């Protein structure tokens, strides 16, 4: 997709006439049709602002091209299709339309008879191009008059039942566009958005004398005929047109439409055609939403709900549910349709039968005799139909799923408890646990269909989860948890069912006002089964168990010291997803461990070395990504300022490992960690990124020497391989850091600068881009402008003295080169003296290059700020922010491609001639 | 055709089919659940068991201190364990012609049937069934003979005494028929009568019926049997599985078009899906090992253990259990593990193809090679020196009454770190554990039964469409503990015929046809005449010879030429007078037409009476009755031969002659 660009550059402007000439030349072989699509996309973007007026003025070649193709008697079908679409696009402005009319192109181009005669109409691409063209053009009154005069309505109506589905769909949309583009209004002589002035009769009714309204009336007549047609496709298309048009129709048009179609719709509803249930319901709902409540409409919807087929009725009921304003009668019927199967299966009383019959009766009084018989269904009759339906496995499952998924939307707060009981009973049935007392006589076959059905189980568990918000749910927590525990215990539970059980359980555990009262249940029943599930053969189950444990930590139902050992065990799981989830779950337990002093130590001592090991050794990216996320959470809950020196050592390890990881997401996450560290180390000085909250951390930062002695040995060995922090000025451990230079040297010590530069020179564009923007922020905030320019920081001399060591880094030569170039440039500008002062004891730039690459360092290292200023970060950022295929995707490239393709074909032909 | 049901246990069947003059025993399963009433046989002296108090009735009138011991509120017989045998009074076992064995679990009562009963027939089984069955029998004998009991308890079996005993001993049935284990001589003698058969091999029995074993997919060499004559087919389905386990898949198509299908050996655990149980087994095992406990798996030495080991082979690496030792203890452990590898032709396709690589078909070979799985004949000897904890031990017997498992129960029962995982479905785990109570070790019940479940059976029956199904009565209603589960029973149309122990069922089809062979010379002499298009008939005069249940029509032997006589020479030269057979009549007499004909012949006063089989015409003037029936016409008239002849000829007009 070519990025929309409203202005054409000069190069394209030069190429376009040649391209048009090539395309219009019938002797040239065609470029592939995706090029035409791309070309059209680009041109569409160009015409967005002014309907192509400017485009036509600057590129008259387009007009020539269209007239050449359309006046040609036998153009290529795909080229014709393109030209039709383009001409519609250009005719969207009145100016463009007139220009095309002046050349009498439009009349020829949109004469469908002409294309039929040429045998081109059979090609669906021509038909669809024709429809798109008309649709594009139809933005102003002139176009409408043209349509009327040229008699285009008839072919459009024919195309509505075209054998090609795409063509038929497009035709339907065009018809809807026609109807809504030129809507009748109730006010007299209003000017519509299309600029047409419409005379109306005194009663405010539509006067059918204008040309425009004759189009509307023609479509309406056709629509009316379609709905009573014997042809299924025609009925279907009619219904589709209605459901597309109604939402956009204003009051007058809606009224007009309804007056014409309501009777045929009644016919269709009462005929009870199963194949039309869905489209009919779409129309009724669209009609209901688009205007005032109409009793006839409500009656039709109620009739749909009375369908003999329970599945259809339930589908209609589910579709009706989202209606905001629903008459109480209809709503009651919807509830009855959706709850009845559930009641039948579970035996839990959900419906007040007496009420239901009364309502039915009242309704029948209001309606005509013909409809009476349909309405007056006996309960037993409905039940036997329902029973037949439930006895078939597939229909039973789909019906029950539909009903259960929609239960929450239909229940009133007062009947919530009974629905909850029904859902629990259903879940027990599915698990093969229902006791004989609750099984309903006659439904044993239906119940057999449900036993062990994981689809229904999932729906039921979802419903159970959402029912936790019901009033009175608190009293049933224990019962619900028992049902859920059975699902967790059942070895046959599908992995997805186990996951849903966990989700539901979490919701129910959280609503309990007194978690203490659940403690025995959790300790004696839940924890053992969780431990067992942690050893499950299926990794999916282990994974969702670990996730659940993480959430359980947060909810506070179980103390984290019970859970952490299980999570630590999961860190050595074979499956990387499980390891990753275990790391995330441990991260969730971090805020809690902050509150529990001893537990925090536990996590630090046990978890940190192990996750660091995973970051350095794990072969799977998921786990390593989770580790970096873990440290992000860790840093958020345990600010550097308040933690021990070992924390800095740990973070240094994370940065050094994470910034050179093989996985680009790990690197991105590492940069997020860097961002956090920068915000914490330089509080209030860095402009935070848009949308991110200001850092809530303390101001002071303590620095340890090397690694903490508390850490287990393998972490030590891991991190001690890193270069020792080349500090020029080590602040005292307790010294609060406020000055930028101290903050900057703190970042250097943590390895932040190295990590950022690792990112900047990374081959993954998102990583480099993120690093670049972070470096820019750091530079602009902390570093003084190079000599001669206004310094940002107050004590620029001290900041510029902060050094870092780049020995052993792969990007060191590049940095040095950049630095050298920068110095040379500065020297040229400012004279040698200045250069000497900057370079200091490192000698001249060219020499320095050689020495730095050979030796490990240059005295005290390289100044951070100087490096940052030498890298040309702004330029890098603009390069990086362009997508890697921006050259190939440019309009220029497209035009060149078209030209080259045709030229290549030419060359080939010449070769053929030679032989 | 009759079916005699000698066992009430649906998965350990023993039925006798009398069919076409043969008497065929189908399986002879041994119901070992009776051993649960007995105290365990410890391998080393157990102070706990020896100190159990004896049982005395509450009023003190009955004292069985020596025979019955009390443990945790239950009473157990302190004696050599005994088994409940198939019924032996229902019919004379010496009349049995053949015994067909379907799998090695269903042959454990064989020595009781073939030895000391006068049995002289043969036994048919596949090779793996014989070999593994032998292993299981040897193991059983070994378990029993290793720990001999001096005394044998019999007093408690007295009906009057048993009545007052506490349950479940009080409710034990047929206790007087219970027998102690057979000897190794009996085993050898019984197995010497086995003739080996291969799948789809047809075996003729006395020329009357043909029996064929088909793969049943349940265990190595397990089979279903087809028993058929020319016009009848009986299928015997026992212990079959449609799951992908180690044996060859089940042959379903050959079961089609059976007149009767005898269905036994469905899963004993219809609610426990084997896959789920296997997963549960693995997770409980891993959980125990991680917590530092030991796992005890009481199991048979063949069968599910192969699948368990295969599943564990994949699981132990994933669950970081690589260093945990797995021990398999059984007197026949080595043979069982080795045998399984050599029965390649009886394995599923996947495993068969490994043999050609060549690779051992079962992965337990690799477990043994890498020392992860070690096997020993018993706890004595090398095992005690190699034994390392925590570990996993597979050993028998699953009833926990004898075998090495008794020792581990005594050793590990006191620690809650250890777990016992039951995988065999044959015994109630609560009953099995009863004499070890109070017990601290964790118990997990993961019964793995791969046999057909009700859902699979109904699909199978829908496909093979037998005319009648015979099955144990247990399959015709939901299990008593889950009476609402209508999915756990057989629902068929027509309903299946249920049987229980000691039932004798007359199977609902009669022999209607027999195949008879015509000798060529006789066939040549036939002169068929067409009675309607496509149907020709011929009369045959021949001699029927029946020998070995085969029937042959032979030409009538020519009468011996009379000795020449001078006096009657002329007569002799004339061909002997052969009585032409009377023509055969066919067709029916239409009433209206017949009345019209009678009228023509002046018989006008005819009273017609309708009967069940036809009509009776009363010729009132002539005082004569004509009975017109489907297959005969009688003319009753006294002393008026001309009238009778006239009437006869009138009737004959309407009939066709052959």
């Amino acid at each position: 997709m070519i990025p929309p660009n409203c202005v054409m550059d000069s190069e394209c402007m030069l190429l376009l006439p040649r391209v048009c000439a090539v395309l219009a030349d019938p002797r040239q072989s065609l470029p592939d049709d995706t090029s035409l699509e791309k070309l059209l996309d680009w041109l569409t973007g160009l015409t967005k602002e002014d309907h192509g007026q400017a485009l036509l003025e600057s590129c008259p070649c387009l007009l020539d091209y269209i007239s050449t193709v359309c006046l040609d008697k036998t153009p290529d079908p795909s080229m014709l299709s393109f030209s039709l679409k383009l001409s519609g696009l250009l005719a969207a402005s009145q100016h463009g339309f007139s220009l095309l009319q002046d050349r009498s192109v439009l009349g020829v181009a949109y004469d469908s008879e002409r294309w039929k005669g040429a045998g081109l109409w059979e090609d669906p691409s021509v038909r669809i191009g024709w429809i798109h063209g008309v649709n594009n053009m139809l933005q102003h009154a002139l176009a409408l008059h043209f349509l009327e005069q040229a008699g285009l309505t008839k072919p459009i109506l024919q195309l509505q039942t075209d054998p090609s589905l795409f063509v038929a769909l497009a035709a339907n949309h065009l018809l809807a566009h026609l109807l809504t583009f030129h809507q009748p209004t109730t006010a007299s002589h209003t000017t519509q958005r299309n600029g047409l002035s419409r005379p109306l009769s005194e009663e405010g009714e539509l006067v059918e004398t204008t040309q425009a309204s004759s189009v509307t009336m023609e479509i309406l007549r056709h629509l009316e005929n379609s709905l009573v047609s014997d042809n299924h496709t025609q009925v279907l298309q009619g219904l589709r047109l209605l459901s597309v048009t109604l939402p956009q129709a204003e009051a007058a048009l809606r009224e007009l439409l309804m007056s014409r179609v309501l009777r045929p719709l009644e016919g269709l509803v009462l005929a009870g055609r199963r194949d039309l249930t869905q489209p009919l319901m779409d129309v009724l709902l669209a009609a209901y939403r688009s205007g005032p409540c109409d009793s006839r409409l409500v009656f039709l919807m109620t009739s749909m709900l009375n369908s003999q087929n329970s599945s259809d009725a339930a589908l209609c009921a589910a579709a009706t549910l989202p209606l905001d304003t629903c008459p109480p009668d209809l709503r009651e019927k919807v509830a009855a349709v959706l709850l009845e199967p559930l009641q039948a299966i579970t035996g839990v009383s959900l419906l007040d039968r007496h009420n239901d019959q009364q309502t039915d009766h009242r309704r029948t009084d209001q309606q005509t005799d013909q409809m009476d018989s349909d309405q007056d269904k006996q309960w037993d009759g409905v039940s036997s139909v329902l029973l037949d339906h439930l006895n078939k496995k597939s229909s039973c499952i789909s019906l029950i799923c539909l009903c259960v998924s929609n239960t929450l939307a239909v229940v009133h707060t007062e009947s919530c408890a009974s629905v909850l009981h029904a859902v629990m009973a259903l879940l027990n049935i599915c698990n093969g646990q229902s006791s004989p007392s609750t099984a309903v006589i006659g439904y044993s076959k239906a119940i057999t269909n449900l036993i062990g059905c994981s689809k229904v189980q999932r729906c039921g568990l979802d419903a159970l989860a959402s029912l936790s918000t019901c009033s009175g749910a608190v009293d049933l927590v224990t019962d619900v948890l028992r049902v859920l525990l059975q699902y967790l215990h059942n070895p046959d539970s599908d992995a997805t069912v186990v996951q849903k059980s966990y989700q539901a359980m979490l919701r129910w555990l959280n609503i309990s006002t007194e978690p203490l009262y659940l403690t025995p249940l959790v300790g004696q029943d839940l924890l053992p089964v969780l431990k067992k599930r942690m050893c499950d053969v299926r990794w999916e189950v282990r994974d969702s168990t670990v996730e659940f444990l993480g959430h359980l930590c947060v909810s506070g139902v179980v103390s984290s010291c019970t859970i952490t050992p299980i999570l630590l065990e999961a860190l050595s799981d074979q499956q990387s997803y499980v390891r990753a989830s275990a790391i995330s779950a441990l991260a969730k337990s971090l805020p809690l461990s902050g509150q529990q002093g001893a537990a925090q130590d536990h996590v630090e001592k046990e978890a940190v070395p192990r996750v660091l090991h995973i970051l350095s050794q794990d072969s799977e990216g998921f786990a390593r990504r989770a580790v970096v996320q873990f440290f992000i959470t860790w840093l958020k809950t345990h600010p550097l300022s308040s933690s021990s020196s070992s924390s800095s050592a740990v973070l240094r390890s994370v940065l050094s490992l994470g910034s050179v990881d093989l996985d680009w997401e790990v690197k991105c996450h590492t940069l997020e960690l860097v961002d956090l560290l920068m915000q914490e180390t330089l509080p209030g000085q860095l402009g935070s990124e848009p949308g991110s909250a200001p850092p809530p951390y303390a101001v002071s930062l303590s620095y340890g020497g090397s690694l903490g002695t508390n850490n287990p040995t393998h972490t030590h060995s891991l991190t001690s391989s890193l270069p020792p922090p080349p500090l020029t000025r080590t602040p005292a451990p307790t010294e609060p850091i406020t000055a930028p230079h101290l903050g900057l040297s703190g970042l250097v010590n943590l390895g932040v600068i190295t990590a950022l530069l690792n990112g900047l020179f990374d081959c993954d564009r998102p990583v480099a881009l993120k690093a670049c923007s972070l470096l820019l922020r750091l530079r602009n905030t902390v570093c003084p402008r190079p000599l001669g320019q206004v310094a940002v920081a107050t004590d620029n001399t001290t900041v510029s003295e902060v050094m870092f060591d780049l020995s052993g880094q792969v990007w060191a030569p590049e940095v040095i080169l950049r630095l050298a170039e920068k110095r040379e440039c500065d020297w040229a500008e400012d004279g040698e003296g200045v250069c000497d002062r900057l370079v200091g004891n490192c000698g001249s730039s060219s020499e320095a290059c050689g020495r730095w690459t050979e030796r490990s360092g240059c005295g005290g290292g390289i100044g951070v700020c100087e490096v940052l200023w030498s890298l040309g970060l702004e330029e890098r950022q603009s390069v990086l922010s362009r997508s890697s295929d921006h050259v190939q995707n440019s309009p220029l490239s497209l035009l060149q491609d078209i030209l080259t393709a045709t030229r290549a074909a030419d060359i080939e032909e010449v070769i053929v001639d030679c032989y | 055709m009759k079916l005699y049901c000698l066992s009430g246990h649906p998965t350990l069947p023993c039925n006798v089919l009398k069919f076409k003059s043969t008497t065929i025993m189908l399986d002879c399963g041994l119901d070992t659940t009776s051993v649960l009433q007995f105290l365990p046989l410890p391998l080393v002296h157990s102070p706990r068991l020896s100190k159990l108090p004896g049982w005395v009735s509450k009023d003190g009138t009955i004292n069985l201190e020596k025979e019955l011991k009390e443990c945790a509120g239950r009473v157990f017989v302190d004696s050599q364990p005994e088994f409940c045998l198939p019924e032996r009074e229902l019919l004379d076992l010496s009349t049995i012609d053949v015994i067909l064995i379907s799998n090695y679990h269903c042959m454990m009562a064989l020595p009781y049937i073939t030895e000391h009963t006068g049995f002289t027939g043969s036994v048919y089984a596949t090779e793996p069934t014989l070999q593994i069955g032998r292993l299981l029998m040897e193991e059983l004998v070994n378990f029993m003979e290793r720990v001999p009991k001096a005394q044998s308890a019999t007093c408690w079996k007295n009906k009057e005494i048993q009545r007052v005993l506490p349950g479940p001993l009080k409710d034990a049935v047929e206790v007087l028929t219970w027998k102690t284990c057979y000897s190794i001589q009996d085993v050898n003698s019984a197995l010497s009568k086995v003739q080996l058969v291969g799948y789809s091999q047809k075996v003729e029995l006395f020329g009357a019926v043909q029996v064929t074993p088909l793969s049943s997919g349940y265990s190595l060499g397990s089979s279903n049997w087809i028993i058929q004559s020319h016009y009848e087919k009986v299928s015997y389905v026992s212990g079959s599985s449609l799951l992908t386990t180690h044996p060859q898949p089940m042959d379903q198509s050959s079961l089609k078009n059976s007149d009767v299908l005898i269905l036994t050996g469905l899963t004993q655990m219809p609610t426990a899906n084997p896959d789920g149980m296997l997963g549960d087994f693995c997770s409980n095992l891993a959980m125990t090992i991680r917590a530092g406990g030991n796992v005890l798996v009481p199991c048979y030495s063949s069968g599910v253990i192969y699948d368990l080991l295969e599943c564990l082979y994949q699981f132990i690496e994933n669950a970081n259990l690589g260093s945990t030792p797995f021990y398999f203890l059984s007197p026949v452990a080595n043979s069982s593990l080795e045998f399984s590898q050599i029965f390649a032709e009886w394995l599923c396709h996947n495993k068969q193809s490994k043999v050609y690589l060549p690779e051992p078909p079962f992965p337990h070979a690799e477990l043994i090679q890498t020392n992860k799985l070690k096997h020993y004949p018993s706890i004595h000897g090398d095992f005690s020196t190699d034994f390392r904890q925590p570990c996993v031990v597979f050993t028998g017997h699953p009833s926990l009454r004898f075998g090495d498992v008794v020792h581990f129960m005594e050793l590990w029962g006191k620690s809650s770190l250890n777990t016992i995982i039951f995988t065999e479905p044959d015994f109630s785990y609560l009953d099995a554990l009863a004499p070890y109570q109070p017990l601290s070790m964790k118990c997990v019940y993961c019964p793995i039964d791969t046999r057909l479940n009700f859902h699979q059976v109904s699909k199978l029956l829908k496909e093979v469409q037998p005319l009648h199904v015979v099955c144990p009565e247990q399959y015709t209603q939901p299990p008593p503990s889950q009476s609402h589960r209508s999915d756990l029973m057989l629902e068929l149309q027509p309903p299946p015929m249920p049987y229980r122990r000691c039932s004798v069922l007359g199977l609902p089809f009669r022999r209607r046809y027999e195949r008879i062979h015509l000798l060529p010379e006789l066939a040549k002499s036939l002169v068929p005449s067409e009675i309607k298009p496509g149907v020709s008939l011929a009369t045959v005069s021949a001699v029927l010879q029946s020998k070995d249940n085969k029937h042959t029509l032979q030409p009538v032997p020519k009468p011996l030429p009379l000795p020449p006589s001078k006096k009657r020479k002329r007569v002799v030269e004339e061909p002997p007078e052969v009585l032409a057979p009377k023509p055969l009549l066919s067709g029916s007499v239409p009433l209206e037409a017949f009345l019209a004909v009678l009228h023509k012949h002046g018989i006008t006063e005819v009273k017609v009476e309708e009967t069940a089989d036809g009509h009776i015409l009363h010729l009132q003037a002539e005082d004569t009755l004509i009975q017109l029936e489907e297959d005969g016409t009688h003319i009753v008239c006294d002393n008026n031969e001309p009238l009778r002849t006239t009437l006869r000829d009138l009737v004959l007009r309407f009939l066709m002659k052959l």
Side-chain angles (χ1 to χ4, degrees), chain B residues 109 241 244 620 630:
Chain B
S241 175
T244 331
Q620 284 172 330
E630 199 184 347

Side-chain angles (χ1 to χ4, degrees), chain B residues 448-460:
Chain B
I448 297 171
D449 197 335
T450 56
R451 284 173 279 206
L452 296 174
N453 63 31
F454 288 99
H455 178 67
Q456 292 162 338
V457 161
S458 50
K459 258 173 113 174
L460 175 76

Side-chain angles (χ1 to χ4, degrees), chain B residues 304 356 400 440 478 527 589:
Chain B
V304 173
Y356 301 107
L400 306 189
S440 304
V527 187
V589 183

Side-chain angles (χ1 to χ4, degrees), chain A residues 393 431-436 439 444-445 448 451 489 491-492 528 531-537 569 572-574, chain B residues 271-273 275-280 282-284 286-287 290 315 317-320 455 482-487:
Chain A
K393 185 154 188 162
N431 213 5
Q433 298 281 342
S434 76
S435 59
S444 62
K445 180 87 175 74
T448 309
I451 292 174
H489 266 296
D492 290 337
K531 281 182 189 163
K532 190 171 101 177
R533 287 283 167 230
M534 281 304 301
C535 298
D536 203 284
V537 185
E569 179 98 49
S572 47
D573 198 281
Q574 284 291 305
Chain B
T271 52
N273 163 22
D275 278 329
M277 286 295 132
L278 214 50
D280 225 25
C282 289
S283 38
N284 280 301
M287 198 164 70
R290 277 187 192 172
F315 179 70
E317 288 305 321
N318 284 340
N320 299 329
H455 178 67
Q482 283 165 306
S483 51
H484 62 286
R485 293 289 296 265
S486 55
D487 56 329

Side-chain angles (χ1 to χ4, degrees), chain A residues 503-553:
Chain A
Q503 287 165 359
M505 186 169 268
L506 216 54
R507 296 275 289 268
W508 280 87
L509 283 174
N510 286 338
I511 62 156
S512 172
T513 44
E514 301 164 71
L516 271 183
Y517 125 92
L518 290 175
T519 311
L521 186 128
V522 169
Q524 286 160 19
D525 300 322
L526 180 59
L527 278 180
V529 77
L530 290 180
K531 281 182 189 163
K532 190 171 101 177
R533 287 283 167 230
M534 281 304 301
C535 298
D536 203 284
V537 185
R538 300 161 292 178
W539 71 263
E540 295 93 335
V541 173
R542 298 200 300 274
D543 192 49
S544 26
T545 309
V546 168
E547 281 176 2
F548 176 68
L549 283 168
H551 290 300
L552 215 53
C553 271

